[in-house]
């Protein structure tokens, strides 16, 4: 190679090397700065490496600069931290060039009351988009996978938070409205599901260590499946709604013909089965009943008529309110109906822990079908309590299954 050419090549290689060093140095700085932002916002509870591995975590990271949105364990639980990314912002076209993409939240039980499903809160998407019921995480971990993140629970019978005893801890890792740029067919990617699950487990274990809890969660399963789309015909009911399909309820006039279901997992603190009427069945029911219920507004969307069934376990079961009214509560060891809403509850005990089972009927649908729902609720509660090996089952009295609340 001629000397002049060799010299030119050497200069070029030097320039490439310098550029490479500069580029890698910038990357290293961004990673270090990102870790610093996450650790500062999340008090070392959230694993920074997991957050940096999420799809929307590119570019420059920053965190919420406020009392809310940063974790301060000394201020009590729950606490959360909020992380921003310039790449997420650029992909979504935000004017600021950054976007809130991740939230890590930790808390402890007992906490504020849990309110049963609202008769006006429809179970399927209002605009007709696919509905994906949450699914159990599995793998020996008490946890659920939703459309944006993962939540886990960890027992902590001797833990304390700011001097207050706690019974269980929980942690949630989630993406904030990831949108089409960071999803696959409307769902989290397999990589992000796995990363969020590992982050949530690590968060729960780190919080347990800080609060003096002896228990630790195992690693989450290595292959977390995508959520399944619903609703599906009642003939295909399985998992939490299998009892409905086996009993043939959908063949009875006026009862739901579709289900929203998940896999069963007796570790879960909240397990549910949703029953919905297709648009044609709801319309036919309404037309048949309007002469006796002239005040009823006809269903305008599939799923507007529904029945929502839940089983709350353990500490969660001691805090259930049937409506947003403070005194309208479900009590372990008893059963009845809300004094204000079409919501019923039954109770049982499983492995020494209380369970509350609730049923919410949609407004309008309750006027037409309440008497028929007694058998549906009994069948649901019987299935759950037999599967979980529960005893001391209490059902609401038959007199509570009327169109209007009737004190038990």
């Amino acid at each position: 190679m001629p000397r002049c050419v060799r010299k030119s090549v050497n200069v070029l290689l030097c320039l490439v090397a310098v550029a490479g060093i500069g580029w890698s140095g910038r990357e290293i700085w961004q990673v270090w700065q990102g870790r610093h932002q996450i650790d500062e916002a999340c008090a070392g509870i959230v694993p920074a490496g997991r957050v940096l591995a999420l799809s929307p975590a590119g570019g420059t990271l920053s965190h919420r600069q406020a009392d809310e949105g940063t974790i301060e364990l000394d201020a009590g639980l729950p606490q959360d931290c909020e992380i921003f990314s310039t790449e997420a912002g650029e992909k979504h076209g935000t004017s600021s060039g950054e976007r809130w993409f991740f939230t890590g939240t930790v808390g402890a039980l007992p906490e504020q009351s849990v309110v049963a499903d609202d008769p006006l809160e429809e179970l399927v998407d209002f605009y007709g988009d696919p509905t994906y019921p949450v699914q159990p995480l599995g793998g020996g971990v008490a946890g659920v996978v939703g459309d944006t993140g993962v939540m886990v629970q960890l027992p902590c019978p001797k833990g304390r938070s700011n001097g207050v005893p706690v019974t269980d801890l929980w942690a949630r890792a989630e993406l904030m409205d990831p949108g089409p740029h960071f999803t696959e067919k409307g769902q989290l990617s397999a990589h992000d599901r796995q990363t969020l699950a590992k982050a949530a487990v690590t968060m729960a274990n780190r919080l347990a260590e800080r609060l003096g809890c002896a228990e630790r969660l195992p690693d989450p399963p290595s292959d977390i499946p995508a959520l399944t789309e619903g609703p599906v015909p009642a003939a295909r009911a399985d998992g939490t709604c299998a009892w409905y399909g086996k009993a043939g309820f959908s063949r009875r006039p006026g009862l739901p013909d579709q289900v929203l279901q998940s896999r069963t997992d007796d570790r879960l603190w909240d397990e549910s089965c949703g029953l919905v009427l297709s648009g044609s069945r709801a319309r036919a029911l309404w037309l048949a009943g309007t002469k006796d219920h002239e005040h009823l507004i006809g269903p305008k969307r599939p799923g507007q008529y529904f029945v929502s069934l839940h089983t709350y376990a353990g500490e969660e079961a001691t805090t259930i309110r049937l409506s947003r009214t403070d005194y309208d509560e479900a009590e372990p060891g008893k059963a009845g109906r809300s004094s204000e809403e079409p919501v019923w509850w039954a109770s049982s005990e499983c492995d020494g822990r209380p369970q509350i089972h609730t049923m919410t009927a949609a407004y309008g649908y309750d006027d037409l079908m309440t008497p028929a729902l007694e058998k549906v609720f009994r069948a649901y509660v019987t299935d759950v309590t037999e599967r979980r090996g529960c005893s001391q089952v209490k059902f609401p009295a038959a007199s509570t299954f009327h169109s209007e609340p009737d004190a038990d």
Side-chain angles (χ1 to χ4, degrees):
M1 181 183 297
R3 184 175 179 181
C4 61
V5 174
R6 189 186 315 119
K7 183 176 180 180
S8 298
V9 170
N10 288 337
V11 170
L12 179 60
L13 290 174
C14 288
L15 290 174
V16 170
V18 170
I21 292 171
W23 179 84
S24 62
R26 180 174 178 273
E27 288 293 300
I28 292 170
W29 168 255
Q30 277 195 329
V31 170
W32 180 88
Q33 181 65 13
R35 285 181 172 273
H36 173 72
Q37 290 288 320
I38 296 164
D39 288 340
E40 186 177 69
C42 307
I45 295 291
V46 175
R50 300 294 182 196
V51 178
L52 290 170
L54 292 168
S55 298
T60 301
L61 267 60
S62 58
H63 68 80
R64 180 81 68 186
Q65 300 287 340
D67 291 338
E68 291 188 10
T70 55
I71 291 178
E72 297 181 20
L73 294 182
D74 291 342
L77 295 171
Q79 294 280 322
D80 75 329
C81 58
E82 300 163 2
I83 308 299
F84 296 75
S85 156
T86 56
E87 182 174 326
E90 290 165 0
K91 289 286 180 67
H92 283 276
T94 60
S95 58
S96 66
E98 66 176 9
R99 183 181 175 88
W100 175 13
F101 80 95
F102 172 81
T103 302
T105 313
V106 291
L109 301 176
E111 56 182 18
Q112 294 181 346
S113 298
V114 175
V115 182
D117 281 349
D118 191 316
L120 286 174
E121 257 183 45
E122 298 174 26
L123 305 183
V124 299
D125 187 84
F126 185 88
Y127 299 101
D129 291 334
T131 299
Y132 297 99
V134 299
Q135 296 289 338
L137 178 58
V141 180
V144 292
V145 183
D147 55 357
T148 59
V150 177
M151 181 176 178
V152 298
Q153 268 195 13
L154 169 68
C156 182
K158 295 184 179 179
R160 301 182 74 84
S161 173
N162 289 329
V164 178
V166 300
T167 61
D168 298 88
L169 308 179
W170 58 267
R172 182 171 60 242
E174 61 184 330
L175 295 183
M176 298 302 296
D177 185 23
H181 300 291
F182 302 108
T183 54
E184 297 175 356
K185 297 181 179 179
Q187 293 201 54
L188 294 174
S189 67
H191 167 78
D192 283 344
R193 280 197 304 274
Q194 199 71 43
T195 302
L196 290 166
K198 291 177 179 179
V201 166
T202 301
M203 289 161 59
N205 288 339
R206 288 182 179 180
L207 181 63
E209 183 177 2
R210 299 276 187 96
L211 300 187
C213 308
E215 297 285 339
R216 297 291 186 273
L217 293 176
D219 291 337
S222 58
D223 185 16
I224 302 171
L227 303 181
T228 54
E229 185 177 334
V232 298
R236 290 167 49 194
D238 58 16
T240 56
C241 294
W243 58 275
Y244 190 78
K246 289 177 182 177
F249 280 116
S250 64
R251 294 193 293 271
R252 302 180 189 180
L255 289 180
D257 55 336
Q258 298 179 333
V259 299
L260 286 163
Q261 59 197 1
S262 68
R263 300 184 301 277
T264 59
D265 188 336
D266 295 348
R267 297 179 183 84
L268 293 189
W269 58 93
D270 179 0
E271 189 179 73
S272 65
C273 167
L275 311 175
V276 300
L277 277 74
S278 61
S280 58
R281 178 167 288 204
R283 185 74 179 174
L285 175 63
W286 176 76
L287 288 172
T290 49
K291 59 183 178 181
D292 298 320
H293 302 83
E294 294 181 358
H295 64 286
L296 288 180
I297 299 175
K300 297 179 175 60
R301 299 173 298 280
Q304 191 173 350
Y305 280 1
F306 67 85
V307 175
S308 180
L309 299 141
H310 281 261
T311 289
Y312 303 95
E315 193 63 45
E316 204 92 348
T318 65
T319 64
I320 304 300
R321 295 212 316 265
L322 305 173
S323 66
R324 301 197 178 277
T325 304
D326 288 341
Y327 62 79
D328 199 18
E329 298 178 341
E331 299 180 52
K334 297 184 179 181
R337 176 178 176 162
S338 164
S339 61
E340 300 185 3
E341 311 280 14
V343 182
W344 292 258
W345 98 91
S347 66
S348 63
E349 185 176 295
C350 310
D351 295 326
R353 305 179 76 202
Q355 313 263 315
I356 291 291
H357 317 274
T358 65
M359 178 177 71
T360 299
Y363 282 133
Y365 185 63
D366 66 312
D367 284 326
L368 295 167
M369 292 298 295
T370 284
L373 296 181
E374 180 182 8
K375 290 183 178 179
V376 173
F377 191 36
R378 278 184 166 269
Y380 167 72
V381 174
T382 298
D383 174 75
V384 174
T385 53
E386 288 182 353
R387 171 163 51 86
R388 295 191 171 197
C390 305
S391 59
Q392 303 183 41
V393 183
K394 305 288 185 182
F395 290 100
S399 61
T400 64
F401 288 89
H402 299 290
S403 296
E404 296 297 331
D406 183 21
D408 187 12

